[in-house]
Amino acid sequence: MDTLPILRRAWIPGLWLLLWQGAALLVGEELLLPAPLPVLGRMAALLGEGRFWLACGHSLGRILLGFLLGVALGCLLAVLSACFPPAGAFLAPAMAAVKATPVASFVILALVWLRGENLSIFISFLMVLPLVWQNTSQGIAGADRQLLEMARVYRLSPQAVLRAVYLPAALPHLLSALRVGLGFAWKAGIAGEVLAIAPSSIGRQLHDAKTSLEMVDLFAWTGFIILLSVALERGMVALLARIFPGKEGS
Amino acid sequence: MELSHITFGYPGRMLLRDFSLSLPPGETIAVIGPSGCGKTTLLRLMAGLEMPLSGSLTGIPPEGVSMVFQENRLVPSLTVLENLALVSPRSSRKALLALLAPLGLAEEGDCYPAALSGGMARRVAIARAAALGSSLLLLDEPFTGLDPENRERAAAFLRERFAGAAVAAVLHHREETELLGARSITIPPL
């Protein structure tokens, strides 16, 4: 059995924790850099608090809802762009603008239109929409021309062409967008919650910890954001591998 | 199928000029000629994949054309049987297997194209043409990659399955023309 990966798994995070501890001792001021033990202790304590689960549930629910809406509309618009190229040309600058605009600009604009708790739905939706649209469009455009000719000659139904030619071409691109997009949506959604001070959310807890200078709390919540981000990505990879074996995207 | 006074070419390269051909049901023609003379292009015109610059072409069957392309053009994400079912969705598994057996592919129904040898994939492309069973069969070098035994097997299969159909084939060897019982035609040089 190869022991190196196990050792690596155990020692590398331990080494980072030691470095963090050393840095905290060097700084010597919890307000600037709390040590890992109090942060880990606070994380353990948060697990026993109802508001922790409520905040996590609300943030996950809203961000995943925005993510799913972005995926659905992105796919629909990609199909529309493939069927009707002027629609693709029309959408391209808007999608490029959405991709290039900083999250903070959207949050500030959206705050005028939306209530705080709905903002993270909108932000995560916006993060995913252009990514899914662009990747799926690329996949559809890359569909095998020879197979499309075969489909024409054999008079295959549009559903059969979609299943046999377009879907296999678009799927790896779409799956790759789903993996990357979920991470984007999560981080941008939390940033949106912080700026919008969305009630009962992880972003709100971060905001409160910052304003009350509770650095241990700030680090503990950040730790959970990272853990949830990793869990979401792994969950997505596992789900895609189960639904589409061998095509999880890269 | 009737091709009447067809002219076709690409910018800077004319391939057919005032070309006419009558292909009645039950007749098989072999298109022969040097490389690049427009044999494949003629099949593409007959399949409706190209539009003639002038002239008329009638008789493309509404159900589609049974065509064996130069490349196999099998859908890689579908099994052999699924590839056949794609062009003939109402056929039963048993009926589709009955198309594979005479071509020596009875055991390959659930394989994906990537798992097949070149010769096997070629025979699947031939079986797919038979699965549609159109009244027009177009064959572009259908026996490429087949050993003599499989070549004879495939030719016998095509003759039987498309006995009443109009058949046009691009063939390289005289013996292949004989195997299909085809009348040879040449594309006149321009």
Side-chain angles (χ1 to χ4, degrees):
Chain A
M1 202 173 88
D2 190 2
T3 51
L4 191 63
I6 299 164
L7 286 175
R8 227 182 245 158
R9 225 175 272 172
W11 284 103
I12 292 176
L15 198 64
W16 278 107
L17 280 175
L18 271 177
L19 276 172
W20 178 6
Q21 178 68 49
L25 281 173
L26 211 65
V27 173
E29 180 58 72
E30 193 177 87
L31 200 61
L32 291 176
L33 182 64
L37 270 181
V39 172
L40 291 173
R42 185 74 191 107
M43 285 174 82
L46 277 173
L47 288 173
E49 290 181 21
R51 71 175 173 124
F52 167 78
W53 296 104
L54 207 64
C56 287
H58 279 163
S59 291
L60 274 170
R62 289 178 196 135
I63 291 169
L64 285 177
L65 177 63
F67 171 78
L68 290 175
L69 289 173
V71 170
L73 190 65
C75 287
L76 268 175
L77 291 178
V79 172
L80 176 74
S81 305
C83 297
F84 187 57
F90 175 73
L91 287 170
M95 293 293 182
V98 172
K99 269 178 88 174
T101 306
V103 177
S105 303
F106 277 126
V107 174
I108 292 160
L109 279 171
L111 272 173
V112 182
W113 309 321
L114 295 168
R115 280 161 44 147
E117 64 258 40
N118 294 328
L119 195 124
S120 57
I121 302 175
F122 180 64
I123 295 298
S124 53
F125 164 81
L126 278 183
M127 288 299 106
V128 175
L129 178 69
L131 192 68
V132 168
W133 174 78
Q134 190 178 31
N135 273 33
T136 311
S137 296
Q138 272 174 3
I140 294 173
D144 190 322
R145 299 285 127 195
Q146 292 193 338
L147 287 183
L148 288 172
E149 276 191 354
M150 181 278 293
R152 252 178 83 193
V153 169
Y154 279 88
R155 302 269 160 94
L156 300 190
S157 67
Q159 295 94 312
V161 181
L162 187 72
R163 183 172 68 92
V165 187
Y166 285 115
L167 207 57
L171 206 56
H173 294 262
L174 173 63
L175 298 187
S176 172
L178 295 185
R179 279 188 56 185
V180 176
L182 187 58
F184 276 4
W186 176 246
K187 282 178 263 189
I190 297 287
E193 285 178 348
V194 173
L195 291 168
I197 321 172
S200 186
S201 68
I202 295 178
R204 174 62 186 258
Q205 305 303 324
L206 274 182
H207 175 268
D208 289 353
K210 187 211 87 179
T211 45
S212 57
L213 295 175
E214 290 285 353
M215 295 305 275
V216 174
D217 265 27
L218 189 64
F219 271 69
W221 280 105
T222 305
F224 279 119
I225 292 169
I226 295 166
L227 288 177
L228 281 169
S229 177
V230 172
L232 279 175
E233 196 194 325
R234 294 212 173 154
M236 174 64 85
V237 171
L239 184 72
L240 295 179
R242 203 180 172 88
I243 304 174
F244 307 106
K247 297 188 174 69
E248 306 86 80
S250 49
Chain B
M1 164 156 273
E2 287 285 335
L3 286 81
S4 183
H5 304 288
I6 296 281
T7 296
F8 183 80
Y10 300 104
R13 186 159 165 252
M14 197 54 75
L15 289 167
L16 300 169
R17 183 170 289 140
D18 200 30
F19 180 83
S20 295
L21 173 73
S22 179
L23 184 59
E27 180 160 354
T28 300
I29 57 160
V31 188
I32 53 172
S35 194
C37 72
K39 303 186 294 290
T40 294
T41 304
L42 178 62
L43 292 193
R44 290 178 62 81
L45 279 160
M46 294 168 87
L49 288 172
E50 308 283 358
M51 291 300 288
L53 298 173
S54 67
S56 69
L57 189 148
T58 55
I60 296 179
E63 74 271 18
V65 178
S66 289
M67 186 166 186
V68 176
F69 295 87
Q70 228 171 47
E71 317 79 14
N72 296 317
R73 304 196 186 188
L74 301 174
V75 177
S77 57
L78 301 180
T79 65
V80 166
L81 276 171
E82 287 167 344
N83 265 283
L84 267 53
L86 190 68
V87 303
S88 180
R90 289 197 197 93
S91 296
S92 65
R93 182 183 164 91
K94 199 176 156 194
L96 297 176
L97 277 170
L99 294 173
L100 294 173
L103 292 165
L105 296 166
E107 305 296 316
E108 275 71 31
D110 295 318
C111 293
Y112 285 91
L116 303 175
S117 69
M120 282 174 169
R122 198 67 187 144
R123 282 176 279 152
V124 174
I126 290 170
R128 179 177 61 190
L132 179 67
S134 168
S135 56
L136 176 63
L137 172 66
L138 302 175
L139 303 164
D140 199 349
E141 302 179 22
F143 305 123
T144 305
L146 299 187
D147 56 39
E149 188 195 335
N150 277 314
R151 197 173 296 185
E152 279 182 31
R153 199 185 241 179
F157 174 81
L158 287 169
R159 276 206 316 270
E160 186 204 325
R161 290 278 165 179
F162 291 93
V167 182
V170 170
L171 300 171
H172 272 316
H173 305 288
R174 186 161 296 280
E175 61 267 32
E176 291 177 350
T177 310
E178 286 160 12
L179 277 175
L180 279 180
R183 166 172 72 93
S184 296
I185 67 152
T186 49
I187 294 175
L190 296 182

